Amino acid sequence: MPRSLYIIDGHAQIYRAYYAPFRNLTSPAGEPTRATYVFCSMLFKLIQSRKPDYLAMALDVKDSTACRREIYPDYKIQRDPPPEDLPPQADRIVSIVEAMGIPILRKDRFEADDVMATIADKYAGEDLDVYLVSRDKDLEQLINEHVFLFDPGKDQVIDRDFLLENKGYLPESVIELQTLTGDNVDNIPGVKGIGNKTAIKLLEKYGSAQAVLDNASELTPKQAENVRAFAGQMPVTRQLVTLVRNVNFEFNLEDAVYRGLDAQAVDPVFEELGFHKLRDQLQEFASAETKGNAEEKSQTTRTSTPDKLEYNLVDTEAELEKLAKKLENQDFFAVDTETTGLNPVAARLVGISMSWEPGVAWYIPVRAAMGRVVSVDAVVKYLKPILENPKIGKIGQNIKYDITVLRQVGIEVAGVAFDTMIASFVIDALRRSHGMDALAEDLLGHTMIPITDLIGKGKNQITIDQVPVEQVCEYACEDADITWRLAEVLRPQLESGSMQKLFEETEMPLVQVLAEMENNGISLDSALLAKMADELADRIFELKQEIHKAAGHEFNIDSPKQLGNVLFDEQMLPVVKKTKTSRSTDAETLETLARTTDHEIPPLMLEYREISKLKSTYLDTLPGMVCEKTNRLHAGFHQTGAVTGRLSSSDPNLQNIPVRTELGRRIRGAFIPQDDQHLLIVADYSQIELRVLAHFCRDEALMEAFRSGEDIHAAVAAQVNGVELDEVTSEQRSAAKAVNFGIIYGQTSFGLSKALNISRVEAQDFIDRYNARYPGIKAFIDQCVAETKEKGYAETMLGRRREIPELNSRNKQQVAQGVRLAVNTKVQGTAADLIKRAMIDIHQAIKENRLQLKMLVQVHDELVFESPADMADEYIELVREKMTGAIPLDVPVVVDIAKGKSWLEAK
């Protein structure tokens, strides 16, 4: 049995790890670590599954292409630089591999492929099989009876038979194949018009690239012309694609003997990076490979991980009373609820779990098909005084849900002190997930029990109250325990940063506000929606008929391919843009065609798509989302949905109801007060982001435009165009409005020309005049970008941060994106903070004064309230006062407020 040498194609596997479909990871110190984590996982799996006798890694060096560029100066010249966050991860990976005792193989002026080719050529034989850990096609030429490729992603060995069966050629043909086809990625020229399939057929017939050239007269006229034109380049291409097998560098096979991972050297690095799960794997390897001090190391795997779990089932009233007495003496404890569903208002409480010590938790079941439970009345009796005590701090993961659930059984949770999900978001808004499973994995190295282990999946899924109590106990206790442990990790990170004030004064108070909003819900006129749905169904039928008539035949108008055939092949309309596989028929394409041609189909398709989407998304769906218990719609509102800090909503997503179309506005007419004695109040910040921009940039002309109280867009149009306010045309106002709002998002002449259907010259001229009239805006943007680049992050007025590495990129598009993000984060993020502060202030006034005003909905810069009709005017003034004074600005903050019998009527 031959021994095995595995050589990792270093940079290829690092790039593969970087682009792997895996969540974004950062270390506790903020270092990007996704590629590092994925690579190390691959390496551990390779060692465990393949058990190599020898192990090494080959790497390119800075001038690896020098040898080939002497032959062909344009070799790999067009390759883009790596993503900004990849090189530091590559450096970290190399240092980890070196710490593991795995030798790094590299040679100046030669690529890693040449180094691997040299090693394989020298050492592969009867007593040693060489496995090149890569799926790079360039290495296929090395495959023989003792040299193989190994794909770690698929755990697959690629040998001669695999190559022939799956790709249609043998290793001996690889150089010939690449000589004919070249390599676009590496900028190696090949025969024009000859791809892999054609080249394989030609080589089957003629045997080599030179033979194809020698027999060019037998090819098609076009092929013959292209092959002959390539004759002078062929020797160069052959040399470029042929790997060097005699690179002169020092390497002793014995240096690559795999003697086990040096856990002692690597463990501190993994600890620094927060790789808790990999630390556990590292210790397992150490235990299996070096038994000398394994037990000592395993005890120090994670200080935050308890040696033993103590999960307690509290299923009698006597035990509940004992637990309550313990809870009374705690300063803080974590709490979590189990329920029958995801909507906290409609779901039924199944149980409550608590924890105030790592590894220790209690579960109180109140509903179960199998097992003893405690009555809800007993829970209320013993836990209500504790849960409603503001002096005992409550910790939760998305505790807003638990607050709303417990309210359904008569418990008004107070003393909400810490939410691990919100803390994660405030610390790192760009984290891919702030859910408990991801946080436990990232911060604790702990894999949570999947809920599907208890309730199953798909059609056979059950609710958790149908699961045996003992099984639920372990799951529920883990939730509370992990929540407590996450808080222990996240609290110091908040305290060490500068965002603790934002967390404590804005985000945490907002949790109670949103819980109240979700519990309040809003009434819905389902009959009106049904009537609209019928009207739209009729119009959809008419549109289909009109589109088929315009096309001259019936076709599936929901099929992009069939629609593309009709538009571009049959009707001969111009192709606006292409996707990778076809011609685009998206909304932008249809809008362009509707604007630039007089054909009937594009505008009809736009209307068809709009009303079909509105019908299916809202008219058909909303009535079914009304809670039977309350007869109201209870949407969810989320603090972690947008990195700028803006709130988002779901079930339904109220923010996506269009406001610029008549149909979208009509849907708002179905949102109504609870009865005839109540009205809805709708309060909307007027151009708040522009006002925030004016506050920051301090441009006198812009600030005066706001102070004058005039229509801001008309005022700007008048100033830019040098005309009186009453002389501003609708076109001039539209241009000013587009630039006013676009400036926050990096408006360009191209974007403005498309938005207004004017030439780019006209658009650029308007932007130039705008910048000249308001120089403070440009100065603010420049200052904002400079500060962000220096600090590495943009910051709102209340201290919310977002990292923006794009500004340090060498890619112009990335830099432009960074500029937009920096300005948008500061301006839109501050506007988001402002409405949050207003919501908190209004909520506090409602509670302190026991007002009959209810906050129901938040959408963008808009708040919807419900009020007794006879008190609406009084409450309007309260809302106006709180919204205008939430965060003082140096320009007037204006709120448009109206009342009515529906959301539409109050707009």
Side-chain angles (χ1 to χ4, degrees):
M1 183 78 178
R3 293 167 297 163
S4 60
L5 164 63
Y6 283 77
I7 309 176
I8 300 168
D9 185 353
H11 282 124
Q13 293 305 318
I14 290 171
Y15 265 84
R16 190 174 182 182
Y18 181 84
Y19 289 107
F22 196 80
R23 63 186 180 278
N24 285 325
L25 294 178
T26 55
S27 72
E31 177 182 341
T33 57
R34 180 178 67 178
T36 311
Y37 186 93
V38 174
F39 182 93
C40 291
S41 298
M42 177 279 296
L43 181 56
F44 281 2
K45 183 179 177 183
L46 170 70
I47 293 169
Q48 193 171 34
S49 64
R50 304 302 297 182
K51 296 179 173 54
D53 297 301
Y54 303 88
L55 181 61
M57 184 164 82
L59 284 177
D60 292 328
V61 292
K62 192 172 184 180
D63 66 341
S64 285
T65 59
C67 182
R68 285 179 172 79
R69 283 196 171 170
E70 289 175 1
I71 304 167
Y72 186 66
D74 288 341
Y75 177 67
K76 289 189 176 181
I77 197 170
Q78 88 288 10
R79 285 199 169 184
D80 292 330
E84 295 297 311
D85 58 340
L86 178 55
Q89 294 189 76
D91 292 341
R92 177 68 86 166
I93 288 169
V94 172
S95 68
I96 290 173
V97 171
E98 289 177 328
M100 288 178 173
I102 299 171
I104 305 292
L105 312 178
R106 47 192 161 195
K107 177 66 176 178
D108 291 345
R109 305 182 71 255
F110 291 92
E111 296 178 78
D113 289 359
D114 299 318
V115 171
M116 289 188 282
T118 299
I119 298 289
D121 200 62
K122 181 176 181 180
Y123 290 101
E126 292 294 332
D127 59 348
L128 183 70
D129 287 339
V130 176
Y131 293 85
L132 308 175
V133 183
S134 178
R135 56 181 183 182
D136 187 350
K137 69 180 189 303
D138 296 342
L139 295 171
E140 292 172 353
Q141 60 188 266
L142 303 176
I143 294 175
N144 59 40
E145 56 190 334
H146 293 294
V147 178
F148 314 92
L149 299 191
F150 177 71
D151 183 348
K154 297 181 179 179
D155 196 25
Q156 189 174 66
V157 173
I158 301 171
D159 58 10
R160 292 173 57 85
D161 293 340
F162 179 94
L163 208 60
L164 182 61
E165 182 177 342
N166 290 273
K167 296 195 173 184
Y169 54 84
L170 288 168
E172 300 87 74
S173 299
V174 171
I175 293 174
E176 306 302 325
L177 182 69
Q178 291 185 314
T179 298
L180 288 175
T181 62
D183 191 329
N184 288 333
V185 175
D186 291 343
N187 202 37
I188 300 175
V191 179
K192 185 178 180 181
I194 291 186
N196 256 36
K197 289 185 178 179
T198 302
I200 291 171
K201 290 180 180 178
L202 292 174
L203 291 174
E204 285 177 351
K205 184 174 182 180
Y206 299 108
S208 69
Q210 183 61 46
V212 172
L213 174 62
D214 294 342
N215 292 278
S217 60
E218 298 179 15
L219 307 179
T220 66
K222 192 63 177 177
Q223 285 178 341
E225 177 185 347
N226 290 339
V227 167
R228 289 183 179 121
F230 183 68
Q233 175 65 38
M234 185 178 287
V236 176
T237 292
R238 175 184 293 279
Q239 195 171 356
L240 291 173
V241 301
T242 302
L243 297 182
V244 180
R245 302 191 184 206
N246 59 351
V247 177
N248 183 22
F249 69 102
E250 293 182 8
F251 172 70
N252 188 331
L253 184 61
E254 290 306 306
D255 294 338
V257 172
Y258 178 69
R259 297 181 172 86
L261 296 177
D262 187 348
Q264 190 171 7
V266 178
D267 186 76
V269 180
F270 282 7
E271 182 179 16
E272 176 189 350
L273 298 178
F275 290 175
H276 302 297
K277 188 174 182 179
L278 289 181
R279 289 183 72 196
D280 287 346
Q281 292 183 23
L282 183 65
Q283 301 303 333
E284 290 173 11
F285 284 140
S287 178
E289 296 172 337
T290 57
K291 296 184 179 180
N293 59 355
E295 289 191 4
E296 179 184 348
K297 291 182 180 179
S298 65
Q299 291 173 4
T300 61
T301 300
R302 278 199 312 271
T303 56
S304 62
T305 303
D307 295 329
K308 184 180 180 181
L309 298 178
E310 185 184 327
Y311 290 167
N312 306 281
L313 179 61
V314 181
D315 58 1
T316 69
E317 189 166 336
E319 291 171 339
L320 176 58
E321 185 178 9
K322 290 179 183 178
L323 174 61
K325 289 179 180 178
K326 293 179 180 178
L327 284 168
E328 288 173 347
N329 296 318
Q330 305 307 317
D331 292 328
F332 299 91
F333 65 86
V335 61
D336 187 74
T337 58
E338 303 302 331
T339 65
T340 56
L342 297 177
N343 188 302
V345 177
R348 303 181 75 181
L349 180 66
V350 174
I352 307 173
S353 54
M354 280 102 166
S355 175
W356 59 85
E357 180 183 347
V360 183
W362 287 260
Y363 176 62
I364 310 147
V366 300
R367 189 183 310 279
M370 292 172 281
R372 191 165 54 187
V373 300
V374 176
S375 70
V376 173
D377 290 341
V379 167
V380 172
K381 175 183 176 181
Y382 291 107
L383 297 186
K384 181 180 172 74
I386 299 166
L387 289 167
E388 293 186 348
N389 186 344
K391 294 181 180 179
I392 302 176
K394 318 306 184 303
I395 298 170
Q397 164 76 15
N398 189 21
I399 200 169
K400 170 169 62 71
Y401 181 90
D402 307 296
I403 293 170
T404 308
V405 167
L406 291 169
R407 175 174 282 181
Q408 310 313 308
V409 297
I411 298 174
E412 299 285 340
V413 179
V416 176
F418 199 93
D419 188 311
T420 51
M421 181 180 74
I422 305 300
S424 170
F425 175 73
V426 170
I427 293 167
D428 181 9
L430 295 176
R431 188 189 295 274
R432 184 174 181 180
S433 172
H434 305 282
M436 182 183 287
D437 288 2
L439 292 178
E441 187 77 38
D442 297 348
L443 301 179
L444 304 175
H446 177 87
T447 301
M448 303 289 292
I449 300 170
I451 183 63
T452 52
D453 283 4
L454 279 71
I455 65 174
K457 300 178 181 178
K459 295 180 179 179
N460 297 322
Q461 192 174 80
I462 59 176
T463 52
I464 201 167
D465 56 330
Q466 297 172 278
V467 178
V469 165
E470 291 77 9
Q471 198 176 346
V472 179
C473 176
E474 181 185 6
Y475 175 84
C477 283
E478 182 186 55
D479 281 352
D481 172 28
I482 294 301
T483 298
W484 178 264
R485 285 195 255 164
L486 286 173
E488 286 188 321
V489 172
L490 291 166
R491 189 182 289 109
Q493 293 185 25
L494 268 177
E495 292 172 352
S496 64
S498 62
M499 290 181 284
Q500 187 173 6
K501 185 176 181 181
L502 173 71
F503 177 77
E504 292 180 348
E505 296 183 4
T506 301
E507 294 299 342
M508 284 310 300
L510 189 66
V511 170
Q512 289 280 22
V513 180
L514 298 183
E516 182 84 18
M517 280 176 51
E518 291 185 8
N519 187 72
N520 288 338
I522 188 169
S523 295
L524 202 64
D525 188 343
S526 296
L528 174 61
L529 291 175
K531 180 182 177 182
M532 288 181 63
D534 290 340
E535 292 174 4
L536 291 195
D538 292 340
R539 180 56 183 155
I540 288 170
F541 178 78
E542 291 173 0
L543 285 167
K544 285 184 176 180
Q545 300 298 106
E546 292 177 37
I547 292 168
H548 289 156
K549 182 179 179 181
H553 62 87
E554 291 188 4
F555 68 98
N556 181 3
I557 61 178
D558 294 312
S559 165
K561 183 177 181 180
Q562 292 188 37
L563 176 61
N565 291 339
V566 168
L567 292 175
F568 307 121
D569 296 333
E570 298 175 13
Q571 304 299 319
M572 304 297 290
L573 294 181
V575 176
V576 177
K577 62 180 179 179
K578 293 183 178 182
T579 66
K580 288 183 178 180
T581 57
S582 63
R583 298 158 298 186
S584 176
T585 58
D586 64 6
E588 185 181 5
T589 296
L590 294 175
E591 288 168 359
T592 301
L593 292 174
R595 189 174 62 248
T596 58
T597 74
D598 58 0
H599 203 283
E600 297 173 78
I601 292 181
L604 291 173
M605 278 300 307
L606 285 168
E607 183 183 358
Y608 170 79
R609 286 182 177 176
E610 179 199 1
I611 66 176
S612 295
K613 182 177 180 180
L614 287 178
K615 182 177 183 296
S616 62
T617 304
Y618 296 107
L619 303 183
D620 297 341
T621 306
L622 287 178
M625 302 179 79
V626 172
C627 177
E628 292 182 6
K629 185 168 64 175
T630 64
N631 199 33
R632 285 165 80 90
L633 187 71
H634 299 270
F637 295 91
H638 314 294
Q639 292 165 260
T640 62
V643 293
T644 56
R646 271 192 162 189
L647 295 174
S648 61
S649 67
S650 64
D651 302 317
N653 183 352
L654 299 172
Q655 298 184 352
N656 279 359
I657 300 176
V659 294
R660 292 188 177 90
T661 65
E662 181 187 353
L663 276 175
R665 290 190 291 270
R666 283 183 65 194
I667 291 173
R668 289 190 168 202
F671 291 83
I672 57 175
Q674 58 181 298
D675 53 39
D676 292 338
Q677 284 72 51
H678 287 77
L679 294 173
L680 293 186
I681 296 172
V682 179
D684 190 1
Y685 278 116
S686 171
Q687 294 134 4
I688 190 60
E689 291 177 8
L690 290 177
R691 295 174 192 272
V692 170
L693 174 65
H695 171 85
F696 280 132
C697 76
R698 311 206 59 74
D699 184 280
E700 280 301 323
L702 185 62
M703 294 177 79
E704 181 55 36
F706 277 115
R707 288 170 181 152
S708 68
E710 301 288 346
D711 175 341
I712 184 63
H713 303 310
V716 168
Q719 292 176 345
V720 170
N721 291 285
V723 299
E724 294 298 321
L725 190 63
D726 58 3
E727 297 175 353
V728 171
T729 66
S730 60
E731 291 79 11
Q732 289 172 331
R733 185 184 184 279
S734 294
K737 182 177 180 180
V739 176
N740 277 338
F741 287 119
I743 201 75
I744 306 169
Y745 302 97
Q747 180 71 277
T748 63
S749 59
F750 176 73
L752 184 61
S753 68
K754 287 186 65 178
L756 301 179
N757 196 23
I758 59 178
S759 72
R760 290 187 66 175
V761 173
E762 291 175 296
Q764 187 60 55
D765 176 62
F766 188 92
I767 291 174
D768 290 342
R769 283 186 281 124
Y770 185 98
N771 289 335
R773 188 68 183 84
Y774 303 108
I777 296 178
K778 180 67 165 58
F780 160 72
I781 292 174
D782 292 343
Q783 181 184 0
C784 178
V785 170
E787 288 180 356
T788 303
K789 189 172 183 180
E790 180 184 351
K791 295 177 180 178
Y793 58 83
E795 192 171 25
T796 70
M797 192 182 294
L798 294 189
R800 187 185 309 281
R801 292 179 178 180
R802 177 181 183 175
E803 293 185 4
I804 305 181
E806 290 88 347
L807 288 176
N808 294 307
S809 175
R810 288 170 289 182
N811 183 302
K812 290 183 179 180
Q813 290 182 327
Q814 286 283 302
V815 172
Q817 173 72 354
V819 171
R820 289 191 291 271
L821 290 176
V823 176
N824 185 237
T825 297
K826 193 172 185 72
V827 175
Q828 190 182 91
T830 295
D833 289 346
L834 189 150
I835 197 167
K836 285 181 175 180
R837 292 299 316 170
M839 294 169 71
I840 293 167
D841 293 345
I842 294 169
H843 175 80
Q844 187 174 350
I846 291 172
K847 291 301 178 185
E848 289 179 353
N849 300 291
R850 299 186 178 182
L851 306 180
Q852 298 179 54
L853 180 68
K854 291 182 178 179
M855 197 184 310
L856 309 183
V857 170
Q858 192 276 342
V859 173
H860 302 310
D861 305 320
E862 186 175 346
L863 290 172
V864 180
F865 302 86
E866 186 174 70
S867 163
D870 59 354
M871 304 184 75
D873 291 337
E874 177 185 341
Y875 289 155
I876 281 175
E877 292 312 309
L878 170 86
V879 169
R880 190 191 308 276
E881 175 192 345
K882 298 299 181 184
M883 290 183 71
T884 55
I887 299 179
L889 300 180
D890 291 335
V891 294
V893 174
V894 176
V895 180
D896 299 322
I897 308 183
K899 60 185 179 180
K901 282 293 184 181
S902 71
W903 191 355
L904 173 63
E905 188 179 312
K907 279 295 289 177

